[in-house]
Amino acid sequence: MNSNNMLQEPTSVRGAGDIGGTNARFALWREARLESVEVLACADYPRPEDAVREYLHRVGQPLSAVENVCLACAGPVGDGDFRFTNNHWVIDRAAFRAELGLSHLLLVNDFSTMAWAASRLAGEELVQVREGTALEGRAKLIIGPGTGLGVGSLMPLPGGGWEVLPCEGGHVDLPVTGERDFAIWQLLREKYGHVSAERVLSGSGLENLYRLSCQVDGIEPLALSAAQIGERALAGDEYCDAVLEHFFLWLARVAGNAVMTVGALGGVYITGGIVPRFLERFQRSGFAEAFCTRGKTSGPYLSQVPVWVMTAKHPGLFGAGVALEQALLAEA
């Protein structure tokens, strides 16, 4: 590919997409900002190419207007074609580019775009939940309990850029620090065998934590979803509130362990569908203290690491735009 053809003027339009199992979000990326965000149902379109055409039609852009596109895809992204796990779409890279007339198509893992977003989000799109000092030139950690538990890191590059390092940090062993942790961990092991962090720190994990807490306490559990557990906690249900607090404390332990593993003294960014939804309650939780209440070495190491919650409306789309911007700059 001729890199000269990929260079764009600062005002040029690029395309960003964030595609999950149910919905595809698309936007235009112009001057480092998102424009014209639209959400389309994946089930309504036979192919992703059809959804892109419909999106451009809705926002009044001809197919020729967008030559460079980044799509955040739910699942592991390799060098070949991408088959979505939870919908019928397949992206054949060569065919997709040819049909839509693209000069450049970048596919990235959907959680990686959260890391790209963290490299650029403005102050009003972040809420600091733990004070500290982010060290220049050190890695940043991104962690997000949602459908699963996403974990990734941002590594600084010479010249001011960033490299995203995706990983499978949601599947590390769940840390156990007390008798109640151990009682719940034993029940999780009986059910699943290996007890990963994601068995608690996710939507289904919060449901696990509620049901097994009830079992430990000899209480008959209600058939509650993760959203309902959180809503009942906010409405004054003391038991659901205690479960949500336990969730936040476990998140503190897992996040702190990850910081020590990658040396992420540049700070922690929390995203995903759970913590931002219950942000006010999270701010009142014991997360900040539990994050660094550890041994004589690990506690001081973590004591000055700041933590933010990402509150941007479309962080996946924003991160896709940033990822494309940096990729085009690197290849210029």
Side-chain angles (χ1 to χ4, degrees):
M1 185 185 305
N2 187 336
S3 62
N4 291 331
N5 293 333
M6 293 170 51
L7 289 174
Q8 304 286 319
E9 295 298 324
T11 57
S12 67
V13 180
R14 295 162 180 164
D18 183 9
I19 305 173
T22 303
N23 295 316
R25 294 168 176 81
F26 296 108
L28 303 179
W29 178 259
R30 193 197 318 257
E31 297 183 329
R33 296 177 62 184
L34 294 173
E35 296 180 0
S36 306
V37 176
E38 294 277 346
V39 182
L40 281 63
C42 298
D44 291 345
Y45 304 92
R47 305 175 306 148
E49 291 92 334
D50 301 319
V52 172
R53 287 177 180 276
E54 171 64 15
Y55 166 73
L56 291 174
H57 173 73
R58 289 189 184 190
V59 299
Q61 293 286 341
L63 199 58
S64 59
V66 179
E67 294 186 3
N68 303 300
V69 169
C70 176
L71 299 178
C73 303
V77 177
D79 294 331
D81 300 333
F82 184 85
R83 183 177 297 274
F84 288 84
T85 303
N86 295 314
N87 71 41
H88 60 285
W89 284 0
V90 177
I91 297 179
D92 179 319
R93 291 176 185 260
F96 192 98
R97 284 180 53 196
E99 180 171 335
L100 299 179
L102 301 179
S103 298
H104 189 83
L105 171 64
L106 177 65
L107 302 184
V108 294
N109 170 264
D110 59 341
F111 195 78
S112 293
T113 61
M114 299 296 182
W116 286 117
S119 74
R120 192 80 65 82
L121 284 176
E124 64 270 17
E125 297 168 310
L126 298 169
V127 174
Q128 189 160 8
V129 294
R130 187 173 191 279
E131 298 296 323
T133 302
L135 298 187
E136 292 291 332
R138 298 302 297 266
K140 301 176 185 292
L141 178 78
I142 295 83
I143 185 166
T147 303
L149 176 62
V151 181
S153 55
L154 274 171
M155 306 298 291
L157 297 174
W162 294 90
E163 181 177 357
V164 173
L165 300 181
C167 69
E168 291 299 322
H171 299 289
V172 300
D173 294 342
L174 181 68
V176 174
T177 60
E179 291 183 6
R180 189 168 184 82
D181 283 4
F182 183 60
I184 292 170
W185 178 88
Q186 285 181 303
L187 295 172
L188 286 166
R189 185 181 62 173
E190 290 174 10
K191 183 174 183 179
Y192 296 110
H194 175 248
V195 183
S196 68
E198 191 174 82
R199 295 300 187 189
V200 165
L201 297 177
S202 61
S204 61
L206 180 56
E207 294 164 10
N208 280 336
L209 183 56
Y210 167 75
R211 287 194 301 270
L212 298 181
S213 297
C214 288
Q215 187 173 337
V216 168
D217 295 328
I219 297 172
E220 185 66 29
L222 301 174
L224 299 179
S225 67
Q228 289 170 330
I229 293 166
E231 288 162 3
R232 289 173 73 100
L234 296 185
D237 184 315
E238 292 184 2
Y239 197 83
C240 285
D241 187 70
V243 170
L244 192 60
E245 175 71 9
H246 198 176
F247 179 95
F248 293 149
L249 296 181
W250 239 322
L251 177 60
R253 289 287 174 175
V254 172
N257 288 351
V259 167
M260 289 187 289
T261 299
V262 301
L265 299 182
V268 176
Y269 297 79
I270 299 175
T271 183
I274 297 177
V275 175
R277 184 171 185 173
F278 305 112
L279 178 58
E280 218 174 280
R281 176 61 181 84
F282 184 66
Q283 290 174 294
R284 301 195 311 269
S285 75
F287 173 93
E289 182 179 355
F291 180 81
C292 65
T293 304
R294 297 166 183 262
K296 64 179 181 180
T297 300
S298 55
Y301 186 86
L302 294 167
S303 64
Q304 292 303 309
V305 177
V307 181
W308 295 271
V309 174
M310 294 167 57
T311 59
K313 191 173 182 180
H314 301 291
L317 277 175
F318 185 84
V322 175
L324 180 60
E325 189 177 294
Q326 182 159 314
L328 293 175
L329 185 63
E331 295 186 25

